[in-house]
Every structure is written in C-alpha cells, then in structure tokens.
Amino acid sequence: MESGELDRSSDRERGSASAGGHLYSLLKQGLRLARQYAPPLLLIVLLLSVWQLTTWLLKVPKWLLPSPWQIVVAGAEARELLGPHTWQTLKETWVGLGLAVVVGLGLALVIDLSPLLRRTVYPLLVASQTVPILALAPLLIIWFGYGILPKVIVVALVCFFPIVVSTADGLRMADPDLIALLRAMGANRRQVFLKIRVPGALPSFFSGFKIAITYSVVGAVIGEWVGASRGLGIFMIRSSKNFLTDRVFAAIAVTSLLSIVMFAAVMLLERAVLPWYYARREEVWEEV
Amino acid sequence: MSSSRSAVSEIELREVHKAFRVDGRLLTALGGLCLRAREGEFVVLIGPSGCGKSTLLNIICGLMEPDSGDVLFDGRLVRDRIGLVGYMLQKDLLLPWRKVLDNVILGPEISGMDSGAARQEAQSLLPLFGLEGFEESYPTTLSGGMRQRAALLRTFLCHRQAMLLDEPFGALDALTRRQLQQWLLEVWHRFQQTIIFVTHDVDEAIYLADRVYVMSPRPGVIKLELDIPLARPRRPEMITSGEFGALKRELLSALGSP
Ligand SMILES: Nc1ncnc2c1ncn2[C@@H]1O[C@H](COP(=O)(O)OP(=O)(O)O)[C@@H](O)[C@H]1O
Ligand SMILES: [Mg+2]
C-alpha cells in the first residue's frame, strides 16, 4: 500500500509511468469509442422513446402496433419457441454464407483469368441478381423439398454477388507497377498472384463479405416464408396469421440483432486479418 | 552476400530503339540510344521528364524488349534478361500488407531462397539502412525517407551485381535527399555494385556519378557523355567548388540546348 503510493508519487519511475500510460491510453480509447457510438445509440433510444410514447398516448392496440416494451415482453415470453427457430435460421444463414463465399471466390478467380471470361460471365452474374427471389423460392422448394437446402440456396444466391464483384475488382486493381517490380525480380505468374494480387484483394473481399452479411439473415427468412417447418421466417408468418403482431416484431428484432452481431464479428475478424489496412500514421503517433 | 549474387556486372546498350503505339499514333520513346556501365561503375542518366529514362531501364531489366538494337550483359547478348539485374522503380512500391522485414526479403523469397537466412541477413543490414527497430512496422507508418531506404534494402537483398535505380530520391525533400545521397555512396562504396541511377537533378547527378549521360527530349538519345573526375569519397562541400560548377555548367547547357 505504502510502496504503491510511493510509486505513484514518483511518476518518473518506469513501471508506474508505463502503468499510468496504459490507463491513459485505455481511457482515451474508451472516449474514442464513446464518441463513435454515442450518437447512433442516442438516436435509437430517442426513436424507441417516441414509439413507446406514441403507442401509449394514442392507445394503439397491440395487434396493430405493439410498443417496444411489449415487443421485449413478447420476445421474452416466447423465448422457448424463438430459440430453436433462431437456431434453424442461423444454420441456414451460415451454410448459405459459406456456400456464397466458396462460389463467390471461385467465380472471382474465373472472371480474373481472362478478359474474355470476364465479358462472358459478368452479364450472367448481373442477370442472376435480377431474378425475383420470392418467385424463385417456391420453385426451389419444388425442386429440393422442404429441407434446409432451398433456404441455403436463397441465402447463397443473394450473398455471392457482392463477394464476386468486390473480390474480382480487388484482384483487377492490383498496382501494375507492383506487378512489374515482381516480374523484374524474376517472379512467375503464380508468385505475382499469391504475393501481390491476393493480399491486395483481401480488403475488397471483406467489403463484399460485409455487404453479403447484411443480406444473409434476411435471405434465410425469405427462404423460410415460402415453406418451412422451422425458422424465424415461418415463426413470423404463423404469428402474423394469428395477429400476434408483438411476436412478429420480436422475430424482426432478433433478425436485425443477428445481422448486427455477425457484421460486428466480421469487422473484428477483418481487423485481425488486415492489421496493415488499419495501421496508419496517426496510430503510431498516438502510441508515442 | 556475394556467393549467390547474379554475376552480370557490365551493361551495354547499342542503338536501342523503342516506340509505343498511343491512340494509333507511333510515339518514338528511344531513338537509337547507346550507353555503357562498366563493372563497379556509378553511372547517372539525366534527362527531361518523358524522354524515355524509365523505358530504358525497363528494357535493360527485361520487362520490355527493344524494337531494334542490342542489350549486352558482360558483352554477351542474353535472351532472357529478366531477374538478372536489380531494379528499383520510381515509386517505393513496398507491399502495404508486409512488415518492413518481410518486405525487404521479397527478392530472396521469389528466387526460392531459404527465408530464415534471408531474414538473418536483412536483420544484419537494417542498421546500415537506418531501419533498425522498424522491422515490425508496416510501411504506411514510415516516413518517406525510410520507405525509400527500405525499398533500396529490398533491391540490395536481391543480390544483383548490377542495379538500376529510377529516381529513387525524386519524391523526397532536399535535406533527406542529401542524406540519402551520402548514405547511398557509402553503401555503394562498401558493396561495389554497378549502378545505373536515373535523376533529373543536375547536382545529384554530378555528386553521385563516375560518369553522366545526358539524354535529349523524346525521342531519347544520348546528347552528352561526361566523366566526373571529382575525388572519392565525395563530400558535401564539393558542391560549391569551382570544378563542380564547371561540370554543372556543361551539363546544364547540354540539357538546355535544343
Ligand atoms: N507502356 C507505354 N505505353 C505507351 N507509352 C509509353 C509507355 N511507357 C512510356 N510511354 C511513353 O514514352 C515516353 C517516355 O516515358 P518514360 O520512359 O516513362 O519517360 P521518363 O522516365 O524519362 O520520364 C513518354 O512519352 C511516355 O508517355
Ligand atoms: Mg520515369
């Protein structure tokens, strides 16, 4: 205790100085996070309050528009039901996303192989995105049954496109001077691809992947609407048919929450995988 | 450092022509250019912007082929020149996703050398290149001068006896530039490579060179070949000497005359 106070009083002392510095940087980081997230959080709280107040003051019936609090209560009461439905939707989302990444990366590589392939495949990709999913989903059920597969295909179909486009663009945008440098060093095509184009395209891939994430959960829900025995989509349909509007909203809230959490997870992953992309001068200066 | 070094140490160009097709028009970049760099010589190529200096280096290192004329390495015509001489392009071109140490061992990595040995060698050269303590830094966090030195170290670690340096200090401020010139001379004195150095700065050309070639505006040919008889090692105060001034006048008049 005494020595601790001594330490603090002499801040020239190395250990205490670095501990103080650590605390300071933590504080600073906290402040920065607060500055970044406080405004949107405040806005959300404000909107929810307005919603809560309006439904309360105007005495809006629950089946027409439940208040945020009623939604929370409904969600909590239905948690035994919501759990398995959510898990089912998550499974479809993850498998679909995985498929989208595999197919998306594969197509990006194919497009990248030659300008002819690019010109041939690109229009088909764009066309694939103009097919109305709601019209396609029933067909998928006819073809593949009521199991998980049609939902996975819907998710993959809405998610692969941003991955292909952004990854292909990233691969194509490699600095020609960098490629010249490697060739001058005697590098072959494979080395240029692996050492320049792939790492250079990673940030673009993540951009596409993040867009795909925001589509994915909704994709699974839409896949379920058309026909499923389990999943948030079918839970919404059933609740809606029974005028359990608060449950519909609870399911919507879970859907958004899943998307947001997955998005945040990918952002963290991106920071871990691409530290260089976030290493900027000012960060170094801050550490000094 | 010397054992695995590519042996090419003399470069000669004979009547090199190169034209580009731009919007259907033929644009002659090099119009019969002759040049020579002997073993261990520091040759500087100076000329106005757009006269074909970078094109010339691209041809020497094998990224491009001349339309006509010969490129000789150690007096011989070499069919596949790529990878035989070191080349540092105008931009530093450090890979932003690699830390400094991983950047500078790119050459050995590409030639399939043991990366452990390459790292060790790079580590031992970091102090000489003023990069000690920055091996784990990403290029975006370095100053311009440090990035340039890292790019030079990467070129060095390719172990080529001959190196082509394309305006390596072009983007730096005057002070950093002076320091790096001095430092490059020290490094060159130590490793004795053949260097072809491109610049459009007359002072820099005289200060560094054994011999200066002055190029004409496009189509580029050699207008003047000037030996620089200043003593080595070069010292900053030489720049104010009368001999330096005379050489400078000669170069400037060659550059200025049509
Ligand atoms: N790959 C290319 N295609 C078409 N024109 C080019 C190409 N490379 C260089 N040029 C042209 O050749 C001329 C010489 O270019 P360059 O060698 O880069 O000059 P310098 O390095 O001396 O500034 C310029 O007019 C440039 O526009
Ligand atoms: Mg140039």
Side-chain angles (χ1 to χ4, degrees), chain A residues 178 181-182 185 195-196, chain B residues 93 95 98 101-112 154 157-158:
Chain A
L178 266 182
L181 173 81
L182 255 79
M185 285 177 169
K195 293 183 198 300
I196 300 291
Chain B
L93 295 175
L95 310 188
R98 286 184 177 221
L101 193 65
D102 297 318
N103 253 298
V104 298
I105 60 162
L106 189 60
E109 191 183 308
I110 282 170
S111 23
R154 177 178 64 193
L157 288 173
C158 289

Side-chain angles (χ1 to χ4, degrees), chain A residues 75-260:
Chain A
E77 278 171 357
R79 64 180 179 281
E80 304 271 289
L81 266 174
L82 265 176
H85 285 303
T86 304
W87 175 236
Q88 176 69 21
T89 302
L90 262 184
K91 274 195 293 193
E92 293 157 9
T93 305
W94 287 343
V95 178
L97 262 179
L99 188 64
V101 168
V102 171
V103 172
L105 288 182
L107 281 171
L109 292 186
V110 168
I111 284 179
D112 189 61
L113 276 179
S114 79
L116 177 66
L117 277 171
R118 174 181 291 270
R119 265 180 289 140
T120 316
V121 177
Y122 226 103
L124 283 181
L125 294 183
V126 176
S128 81
Q129 295 305 295
T130 62
V131 176
I133 292 291
L134 271 174
L136 190 69
L139 291 178
L140 291 175
I141 288 189
I142 294 174
W143 294 334
F144 302 110
Y146 279 86
I148 192 173
L149 189 58
K151 289 89 180 173
V152 165
I153 292 177
V154 170
V155 173
L157 207 58
V158 293
C159 290
F160 87 99
F161 188 68
I163 297 177
V164 180
V165 172
S166 52
T167 309
D169 280 354
L171 286 173
R172 190 167 56 149
M173 262 149 37
D175 185 348
D177 286 337
L178 266 182
I179 295 174
L181 173 81
L182 255 79
R183 290 219 300 117
M185 285 177 169
N188 55 33
R189 256 181 86 114
R190 199 179 61 89
Q191 286 172 319
V192 168
F193 185 74
L194 290 179
K195 293 183 198 300
I196 300 291
R197 309 186 63 204
V198 168
L202 268 182
S204 305
F205 162 75
F206 270 102
S207 300
F209 190 43
K210 281 190 289 191
I211 296 174
I213 293 271
T214 63
Y215 293 169
S216 60
V217 186
V218 175
V221 167
I222 291 177
E224 289 161 358
W225 276 354
V226 184
S229 50
R230 205 189 272 175
L232 285 171
I234 207 68
F235 178 83
M236 280 179 205
I237 298 267
R238 283 180 193 156
S239 305
S240 159
K241 277 183 179 154
N242 293 312
F243 292 96
L244 296 169
T245 315
D246 47 357
R247 283 198 180 183
V248 177
F249 273 96
I252 292 175
V254 171
T255 308
S256 314
L257 212 64
L258 290 181
S259 302
I260 292 171

Side-chain angles (χ1 to χ4, degrees), chain B residues 229-242:
Chain B
L230 296 174
R232 302 255 185 207
R234 303 272 159 91
R235 309 215 170 284
E237 56 276 15
M238 288 177 175
I239 293 183
T240 52
S241 71

Side-chain angles (χ1 to χ4, degrees), chain B residues 20 22 27 29 48-56 64 90 218:
Chain B
F20 295 108
V22 182
L27 183 147
S49 167
C51 71
K53 305 182 293 291
S54 297
T55 304
L56 187 68
M64 285 178 188
Q90 216 156 337
R218 215 184 55 234

